[in-house]
């Protein structure tokens, strides 16, 4: 649902939560009065550079890339911007998910609202109207090398502003001119520098990072929940999670993860029943879970630091420095910070899935499960139980290993050597998005198996947080007795991780997790 008060863009205060609200929950955004003043001042400076100045200003009265030394006559200033969008809109492949495009629209509007690009107020207002009225530009997902910004994707995103390209409206892919007409809007004609201001930026990379971070944070908490559920089912020890142990290492993420598991186990009759058993140590996938989950959490803190800065960054070229009365060529559009962050995000969530799959193996393997029936079924042979879901988790974890090869260490020179080092951050974003989906499914499989396994220990009950998690899983997936297809159950639980409903159900019972 959209929030009652629109998010007011200034180029200074946009948050990851704001991006999620607009891109995924339909919240509205508008320009602040502060941004209008800054944009007006920057626009005046661009107009002076475009009309009457003999000084070469990149993208205002010159060509682009290797054509930087080609002068453009004043009378062709607007035509230059139009041809820029047309020439750059050559992406290929499947389209980006709608929420990524919506996030990129918001982020581009916020970057222009900063008042360092020189775009007109009406240009940004039209972009925000498209967002508000449900018009989503059709943007192919392949074609950005992540330097000079996400050039090809942003060109496709900008085309509907001039009535060209394609867009999705009411679930239908149509010509942008028709999409605008359907929602009562008219295209505009770009003026000096505006085409360049619309395509120079890191907004698709930043969209992946912002929305991916929200999903990853939820996944990290879900991993702690799944671990606690498996720990109960496997009758593991809570001692490895004691705060004294975490304090002796001093890592923030580790301490948070361990504290979560202990809270989830509070009031456990299962844990109390085997408190004095002869088992000395649990396997690493249980005993070292805080260390592994915590390392992922710490890596996500780095991602958060990077993307939170990038959401309000000036990434255009040239930048308009109003106080200095300068238009300055620069390299803020380079995507290397986000490329690194997105590769790190992928690694962080892949590791959560990797250790989850190892706990899953212990749940279904009778040689490792401390008395649980093989594959968690009481009629093994006729039924296969959770045998094949473990295969699926293994497949997802293996795919993630390939996807986690960093794109950010690659570079291919472009534009005849003018742009001789690029970030490949778009590839990092696409990979991270798939790794997230794979990890959510892998954790869902552990949660399903853990809910099944812990029920074999009845009448003993797990801790209050684990009971809440099991109850939420059971809302989505009944206990597996005779074999049935579990694909829909896995997707339902993965969705509950992604949309936060699993976490909400647990926190409603035991309070907010770290």
């Amino acid at each position: 649902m959209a929030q009652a008060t629109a998010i007011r863009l200034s180029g200074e205060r946009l948050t990851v939560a704001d991006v999620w609200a607009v891109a995924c929950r339909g919240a509205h955004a508008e320009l602040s009065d502060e941004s209008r003043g800054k944009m007006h001042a920057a626009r005046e400076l661009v107009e002076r550079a475009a009309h009457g100045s003999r000084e070469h200003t990149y993208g205002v009265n010159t060509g682009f890339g290797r054509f930087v030394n080609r002068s453009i006559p004043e009378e062709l200033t607007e035509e230059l911007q139009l041809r820029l969008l047309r020439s750059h809109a050559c992406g290929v492949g499947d389209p980006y998910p709608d929420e990524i495009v919506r996030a990129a629209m918001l982020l581009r509007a916020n970057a222009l609202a900063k008042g360092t690009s020189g775009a007109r107020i009406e240009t940004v207002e039209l972009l925000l109207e498209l967002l508000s009225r449900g018009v989503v530009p059709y943007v192919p997902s392949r074609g950005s090398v992540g330097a000079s910004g996400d050039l090809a994707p942003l060109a496709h995103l900008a085309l509907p502003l001039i009535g060209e390209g394609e867009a999705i409206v009411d679930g239908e892919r149509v010509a942008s001119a028709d999409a605008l007409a359907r929602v009562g809007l008219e295209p505009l004609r770009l003026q000096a520098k505006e085409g360049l201001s619309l395509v120079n930026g890191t907004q698709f990379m930043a969209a992946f990072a912002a929305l991916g971070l929200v999903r990853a944070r939820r996944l990290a908490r879900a991993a702690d929940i799944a671990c606690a559920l498996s720990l109960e089912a496997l009758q593991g020890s809570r001692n490895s999670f004691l705060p004294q142990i975490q304090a002796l290492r001093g890592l923030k993420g580790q301490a948070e993860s361990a504290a979560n598991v202990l809270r989830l186990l509070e009031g456990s009759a299962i844990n109390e029943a085997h408190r004095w058993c002869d088992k000395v140590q649990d396997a690493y996938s249980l005993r070292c879970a805080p260390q592994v989950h915590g390392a992922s959490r710490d890596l996500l803190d780095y991602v958060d630091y990077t993307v939170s800065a990038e959401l309000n960054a000036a990434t255009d070229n040239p930048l308009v420095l109003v106080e200095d009365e300068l238009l300055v060529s620069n390299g803020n559009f380079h995507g290397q910070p986000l490329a690194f962050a997105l590769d790190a995000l992928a690694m962080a969530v892949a590791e959560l899935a990797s250790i989850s799959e190892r706990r899953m193996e212990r749940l279904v393997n009778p040689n490792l499960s401390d008395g649980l029936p093989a594959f968690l079924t009481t009629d093994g042979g006729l039924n296969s139980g959770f045998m094949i879901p473990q295969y699926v988790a293994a497949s997802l974890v293996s795919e993630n290993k390939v996807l986690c090869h960093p794109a950010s260490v690659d570079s291919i020179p472009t534009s005849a050597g003018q742009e001789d080092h690029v970030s490949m951050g778009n590839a990092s974003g696409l990979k991270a998005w798939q790794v997230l989906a794979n990890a959510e499914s892998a954790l869902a499989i552990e949660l399903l198996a853990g809910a099944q396994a812990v029920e074999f220990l009845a009448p003993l009950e797990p801790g209050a947080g684990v009971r809440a998690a099991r109850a939420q899983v059971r809302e989505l997936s009944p206990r597996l007795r005779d074999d049935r297809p579990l694909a829909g159950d896995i997707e339902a639980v993965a969705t509950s991780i992604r949309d936060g409903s699993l976490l909400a159900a647990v926190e409603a019972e035991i309070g907010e997790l770290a």
Side-chain angles (χ1 to χ4, degrees):
M1 295 179 62
Q3 59 190 51
T5 304
I7 294 166
R8 298 180 67 78
L9 303 182
S10 65
E12 307 292 342
R13 293 178 291 275
L14 193 69
T15 67
V16 168
D18 292 334
V19 179
W20 184 271
V22 172
C24 300
R25 299 182 60 205
H28 292 277
E30 61 185 28
L31 288 173
S32 66
D33 291 339
E34 172 191 358
S35 69
R36 292 172 185 276
K38 293 187 296 184
M39 291 181 67
H40 180 74
R43 185 64 206 170
E44 286 188 337
L45 194 57
V46 169
E47 289 290 345
R48 290 203 298 271
H51 305 294
S53 173
R54 295 182 180 180
E55 185 175 335
H56 277 193
T57 302
Y58 178 73
V60 175
N61 52 20
T62 75
F64 306 102
R66 184 61 182 268
F67 291 133
V68 64
N69 295 321
R70 297 289 182 91
S71 296
I72 305 299
E74 182 177 342
E75 63 271 17
L76 294 178
T77 297
E78 293 183 4
E79 184 68 17
L80 174 68
Q81 303 304 310
L82 178 64
R83 295 193 187 190
L84 172 69
L85 291 194
R86 288 172 175 168
S87 69
H88 284 43
C90 55
V92 299
D94 295 332
Y96 290 101
D98 283 358
E99 62 268 34
I100 292 294
V101 180
R102 288 176 57 83
M105 294 168 75
L106 175 71
L107 294 175
R108 196 68 214 134
N110 190 56
L112 298 178
K114 197 173 182 72
T116 55
S117 291
R120 291 174 298 156
I121 292 170
E122 51 264 48
T123 301
V124 180
E125 286 181 329
L126 180 56
L127 183 59
L128 291 174
E129 281 296 327
L130 292 177
L131 189 56
S132 176
R133 301 190 194 194
V135 177
V136 180
Y138 182 86
V139 184
S141 60
R142 269 68 178 179
S144 171
V145 295
S148 290
D150 288 312
L151 291 174
L154 285 169
H156 283 279
L157 184 145
L159 279 178
L161 298 175
I162 60 172
E164 298 189 13
E166 295 180 303
I168 309 295
V169 61
D170 297 326
E172 184 181 359
R173 178 180 171 185
V174 299
S176 291
D178 294 336
L180 291 174
R182 282 195 194 186
V183 299
L185 294 173
E186 294 185 359
L188 51 74
R189 182 171 178 83
L190 298 176
Q191 295 185 7
K193 195 183 177 294
E194 288 196 301
L196 188 59
S197 294
L198 287 164
V199 302
N200 248 327
T202 59
Q203 279 65 50
F204 276 91
M205 290 177 277
F208 276 123
L211 300 186
L213 181 62
V214 173
R215 289 173 63 179
R217 295 285 201 197
R218 290 174 177 171
L219 189 71
R221 292 170 174 84
D224 292 339
I225 294 168
C227 175
L229 184 51
S230 295
L231 191 76
E232 293 272 44
L234 294 166
Q235 301 179 70
S237 172
R238 67 190 296 277
N239 290 338
S240 298
F241 300 86
L242 293 174
Q244 304 93 302
I245 294 171
Q246 323 318 319
L248 288 171
R249 197 168 199 185
L251 292 170
K252 173 176 172 284
Q254 177 180 328
E256 291 174 343
S257 178
N260 282 347
V261 173
L262 284 180
R263 286 186 59 199
L264 290 156
L265 296 175
E266 284 179 8
S268 169
I270 294 173
N271 192 267
E272 188 63 28
H274 64 79
R275 185 176 180 184
W276 307 109
C277 68
D278 294 334
K279 187 189 294 183
V280 177
Q281 290 184 342
D282 292 316
Y284 283 8
S285 58
L286 298 172
R287 181 165 33 120
C288 300
Q291 288 76 11
V292 176
H293 292 192
S296 291
R297 284 169 168 266
D298 291 340
L299 204 49
L300 293 178
D301 284 344
Y302 151 66
V303 177
D304 194 345
Y305 161 78
T306 301
V307 69
S308 293
E310 195 73 6
L311 297 185
N312 296 291
T315 56
D316 199 354
N317 178 48
L319 284 171
V320 182
L321 306 182
V322 175
E323 292 185 2
D324 300 304
E325 296 191 353
L326 293 174
L327 273 72
V328 183
S329 292
N330 71 99
N332 271 7
F333 50 72
H334 202 291
Q336 199 67 44
L338 285 169
F340 280 149
L342 286 162
D343 281 339
L345 188 151
M347 289 189 289
V349 298
E351 203 61 18
L352 295 174
S354 177
I355 195 170
S356 168
E357 186 277 330
R358 288 294 80 201
R359 293 191 295 262
M360 172 67 183
E361 162 69 6
R362 303 194 79 80
L363 290 169
V364 301
N365 186 336
N367 297 318
L368 303 173
S369 66
D370 207 9
L372 294 173
F375 303 107
L376 306 177
T377 181
T378 54
D379 195 6
L382 180 62
N383 286 318
S384 295
F386 277 83
M387 181 188 297
I388 305 307
Q390 188 268 324
Y391 286 29
V392 175
S395 170
L396 295 169
V397 167
S398 183
E399 181 181 348
N400 281 353
K401 292 175 185 177
V402 176
L403 291 171
C404 282
H405 178 85
S408 56
V409 299
D410 188 26
S411 177
I412 296 177
T414 57
S415 194
Q418 177 74 7
E419 298 160 6
D420 57 354
H421 182 278
V422 299
S423 75
M424 299 300 178
N426 187 63
S428 299
L430 290 165
K431 294 193 301 93
W433 204 244
Q434 185 60 54
V435 170
L436 275 164
N438 291 349
E440 288 160 350
S441 294
L443 263 296
I445 291 169
E446 183 187 1
L447 287 162
L448 285 162
Q452 179 94 350
V454 81
E455 290 167 350
F456 284 109
L457 303 182
L460 295 176
E461 283 291 327
V466 173
R467 286 199 306 273
R470 183 188 64 190
Q472 177 66 10
V473 170
R474 285 287 167 258
E475 285 286 322
L476 303 169
S477 172
R479 181 177 173 83
L480 182 65
R481 301 186 188 279
D482 292 332
D483 284 347
R484 68 174 189 271
L486 287 177
D489 303 62
I490 295 168
E491 178 55 34
V493 177
T495 298
S496 77
I497 296 171
R498 185 179 310 121
D499 66 19
S501 56
L502 170 72
L503 180 62
V506 172
E507 291 185 333
E509 184 65 31
I510 65 170
E512 187 175 354
L513 294 175

